[in-house]
Amino acid sequence: MSETHRIINFNAGPAGLPRPALERARDELLDFDGTGISVMEHSHRGEAYGRVHDEAEALVRELAGVPDSHAVLFLQGGASQAFATVPMNFLHAGRRADYAVSGGWGEKALAEARTVGDARDVLGLDREWTRIPAEHPDGDGAAYLHITSNNTLEGTQYHRWPDAKAPLVADMSSDILSRPLDVPRFSLIYAGAQKNLGPSGVTLVIVDRAWIATARTDIPKIFRFATHAAERSLYNTPPTFGIYLLRNVLAWTRDQGGAPAMEARNRAKAALVYAAIDAAPDYYRCPAAPGSRSWMNVVFRLPTEALDARFVAAAKAQGMIGLKGHRSTGGVRASLYNAVSVDDARALADFMNDFAKREG
């Protein structure tokens, strides 16, 4: 399929991957690095796969600015498993964990923490979740303070990190490497790969080694971050092909200019789509407060659900997919992850302008 006929993918996850990363995988699929077999067929403890594993870790460290004080882990189970394993490791008996719930996924993380111990929502926002509060609790006295850096359902995002007194934990599944990151500020970051990093099946965890040393040991070994840190994510068989593809995506990110270049692209893309919304305020309604609008997930509604559906269908006919809102929220959602180009966002904005004129 030629580049001109490739579908524009606005899916929220699994999301589009950079074409060069996919082409590299295609070219190496049957014979990886002259070994005569696919990377999927190599032992995870062998030299051939070992080079991929080491390069993937090195690229994470380079692109995210991860210091030696923090371990880089490639795990399984997605962010949903991390909702449970974070409190399993760090919510000790007699302590409490603070959760800044700013969206539906944060609410799910809090619910999992409550199965482990004492956890509370410290924001107390209404469930419309249209903003990230400027005044933010600092988690003083808590075992940790948990945030969701970007809310895919509600289209809101942190544009300033809270000043935390407790260890700061962040679910960055939907905006990791979309901008430069101050890793030492965080005790733990976790991210499902299937948005900005690679395919589904890999979970990136960046965790302070000193904090790992304080973790509980009365949980199964497979769920301890200390286990995987000690074994460099090779305690059991990791998702080797997923990590290989993640390596390809990270190499593409580096070649594009890294996190600073991604931020410039992502700001430009978001500006195009929000401009189309703001140009027709009687037709497109964005529920996210302007200062909290996400660069990654632009959420909006048309005047009726029927028009929402017509918009999504018409966009698909023009080669743009993945615009239907989440089943829990409805409406329209354009996910502008790193692999989405500025031209892709411009095509959507132009379509939105034309649709509003034609249907409004």
Side-chain angles (χ1 to χ4, degrees):
M1 182 181 291
S2 69
E3 182 71 33
T4 55
H5 291 92
R6 185 166 167 80
I7 293 294
I8 300 177
N9 186 353
F10 294 109
N11 271 313
L17 296 173
R19 189 178 180 93
L22 295 174
E23 290 173 339
R24 183 178 183 182
R26 176 200 63 196
D27 295 344
E28 296 179 337
L29 184 64
L30 299 180
D31 183 1
F32 172 66
D33 203 21
T35 61
I37 60 174
S38 172
V39 69
M40 288 183 282
E41 301 173 275
H42 277 282
S43 167
H44 63 292
R45 302 194 188 280
E47 181 181 352
Y49 171 73
R51 291 194 296 272
V52 173
H53 197 89
D54 291 347
E55 185 182 356
E57 178 180 341
L59 283 165
V60 171
R61 289 190 177 278
E62 175 187 349
L63 293 168
V66 181
D68 291 341
S69 59
H70 286 58
V72 172
L73 309 178
F74 302 118
L75 306 180
Q76 300 175 67
S80 292
Q81 181 167 295
F83 293 166
T85 52
V86 167
M88 286 169 67
N89 277 265
F90 298 110
L91 184 48
H92 294 266
R95 301 291 307 280
R96 76 162 199 279
D98 285 356
Y99 279 70
V101 177
S102 56
W105 289 113
E107 188 175 52
K108 291 179 183 294
L110 173 61
E112 288 284 54
R114 284 175 169 164
T115 69
V116 176
D118 181 16
R120 66 178 186 177
D121 174 11
V122 293
L123 287 187
L125 299 175
D126 63 68
R127 297 189 79 259
E128 294 296 317
W129 292 314
T130 59
R131 62 188 176 90
I132 304 294
E135 297 297 322
H136 202 286
D138 59 17
D140 190 20
Y144 58 86
L145 172 63
H146 179 285
I147 67 171
T148 306
S149 60
N150 180 75
N151 293 295
T152 59
L153 305 184
E154 297 81 16
T156 62
Q157 185 178 25
Y158 277 82
H159 296 300
R160 177 182 175 278
W161 303 122
D163 294 319
K165 292 183 178 179
L168 184 59
V169 174
D171 174 3
M172 292 192 182
S173 293
S174 53
D175 65 350
I176 186 82
L177 288 184
S178 67
R179 52 185 169 176
L181 183 58
D182 182 10
V183 169
R185 192 181 192 109
F186 298 86
S187 291
L188 189 147
I189 294 165
Y190 62 93
Q194 65 271 18
K195 302 181 188 290
N196 277 335
L197 299 178
S200 58
V202 183
T203 309
L204 173 66
V205 174
I206 302 171
V207 56
D208 188 328
R209 298 181 196 275
W211 202 41
I212 292 177
T214 72
R216 294 169 55 168
T217 57
D218 59 342
I219 62 174
K221 194 172 183 180
I222 191 68
F223 296 127
R224 300 179 202 168
F225 292 117
T227 299
H228 299 287
E231 299 292 339
R232 295 192 58 248
S233 307
L234 296 168
Y235 170 72
N236 63 329
T237 307
T240 55
F241 190 62
I243 295 170
Y244 161 83
L245 271 171
L246 178 142
R247 186 281 309 264
N248 289 4
V249 173
L250 294 176
W252 171 84
T253 304
R254 176 201 59 203
D255 294 345
Q256 296 299 304
M262 291 298 104
E263 178 175 2
R265 281 166 51 110
N266 292 328
R267 282 178 176 268
K269 290 182 294 185
L272 286 165
V273 180
Y274 284 121
I277 292 171
D278 293 340
D282 295 331
Y283 198 72
Y284 298 120
R285 183 180 65 83
C286 175
S292 298
R293 285 178 170 183
S294 170
W295 303 338
M296 294 284 93
N297 306 97
V298 180
V299 173
F300 58 96
R301 292 180 177 276
L302 283 74
T304 67
E305 291 184 4
L307 278 172
D308 289 342
R310 192 182 306 171
F311 177 95
V312 171
K316 185 176 181 179
Q318 294 297 314
M320 291 177 276
I321 66 168
L323 290 166
K324 184 178 180 180
H326 190 269
R327 63 185 181 277
S328 67
T329 58
V332 181
R333 173 174 58 178
S335 296
L336 306 177
Y337 301 128
N338 287 355
V340 175
S341 71
V342 175
D343 285 343
D344 292 340
R346 183 175 293 109
L348 175 60
D350 290 344
F351 172 79
M352 292 171 67
N353 291 331
D354 292 343
F355 191 87
K357 292 174 183 176
R358 183 173 68 250
E359 301 287 340

